[in-house]
Amino acid sequence: MSDAVGTVGQISVYPVKSLAGRVVPAVEVEDAGLHGDRAWSVVEVDTGERVTVKTTPRLREVVPTGDTEADTLTLTEVLGRPVRLAAAAGGPQVDAAAVHLVSRGAVERAAEGDVPEGCSADDPRANLLLHLPDGQDERSWVGRRLRIGTAELDVVRTPRHCLGVYAEVRTPGLVAEGDEVQLFD
């Protein structure tokens, strides 16, 4: 049995880990997450060490164009040191789970000061921004299953340092803006 609990308000894909995302109208959700999400990372030319937004906050200001050479030049200029883009081996470079979901309500609570330590209330870096009815809180979904579009997700936990919930992909499928979010018992 399922209940309709909201709709998808916005879909964001982050092609380069730690850089700004881009909003898309629809996306294929694959076993490892959204198609094209976090498929690249920024690395130091000299050491090969990954550069992340935690150590280099300016990364989130850069919007990737999809042109590796142009993006590398922009990043090198913005950071003031030589870096390059490296393709992810074995799928998206996610830290916690395949899909990050955040409700508009969580963003509003964060604007009022209910923000986990280390989280950016201005940019929770979520893949799916959901519109839920007043009083609905996605944190209560941990341990339950969602169907969004033709994809099914298992909500596995709340983030330690961010808003919303993390989910793993049970059944790949297409998710589009405006799709209904169904919650299963």
Side-chain angles (χ1 to χ4, degrees):
M1 174 136 163
S2 69
D3 293 317
V5 293
T7 59
V8 176
Q10 181 175 298
I11 302 167
S12 296
V13 175
Y14 298 85
V16 180
K17 186 166 178 58
S18 294
L19 269 58
R22 68 172 195 254
V23 176
V24 297
V27 68
E28 281 292 331
V29 178
E30 301 167 342
D31 286 325
L34 279 63
H35 178 76
D37 192 51
R38 296 167 174 93
W40 296 84
S41 64
V42 180
V43 297
E44 299 281 353
V45 167
D46 296 337
T47 64
E49 293 286 322
R50 198 168 78 176
V51 181
T52 67
V53 74
K54 289 177 184 172
T55 60
T56 313
R58 293 198 65 202
L59 286 175
R60 94 174 34 165
E61 300 169 17
V62 179
V63 178
T65 65
D67 179 328
T68 305
E69 187 175 317
D71 290 344
T72 298
L73 290 171
T74 299
L75 285 162
T76 295
E77 184 177 313
V78 167
L79 300 179
R81 64 185 191 267
V83 295
R84 65 180 174 81
L85 294 181
Q93 302 175 62
V94 296
D95 293 329
V99 183
H100 183 190
L101 304 96
V102 173
S103 69
R104 173 74 56 205
V107 173
E108 290 168 1
R109 286 190 304 274
E112 295 169 0
D114 183 11
V115 185
E117 185 177 336
C119 178
S120 168
D122 296 328
D123 181 13
R125 303 189 62 75
N127 296 118
L128 302 179
L129 178 65
L130 306 176
H131 295 293
L132 307 179
D134 288 341
Q136 181 72 256
D137 187 338
E138 70 272 20
R139 294 175 293 189
S140 69
W141 300 346
V142 173
R144 297 180 72 189
R145 183 170 35 111
L146 298 173
R147 180 178 298 130
I148 306 173
T150 59
E152 288 190 12
L153 308 173
D154 290 322
V155 181
V156 293
R157 70 180 183 89
T158 57
R160 282 191 302 260
H161 301 296
C162 208
L163 307 177
V165 293
Y166 288 137
E168 294 295 345
V169 179
R170 174 184 281 253
T171 305
L174 181 67
V175 172
E177 190 174 310
D179 278 351
E180 186 173 79
V181 177
Q182 295 179 327
L183 180 65
F184 290 83
D185 289 328

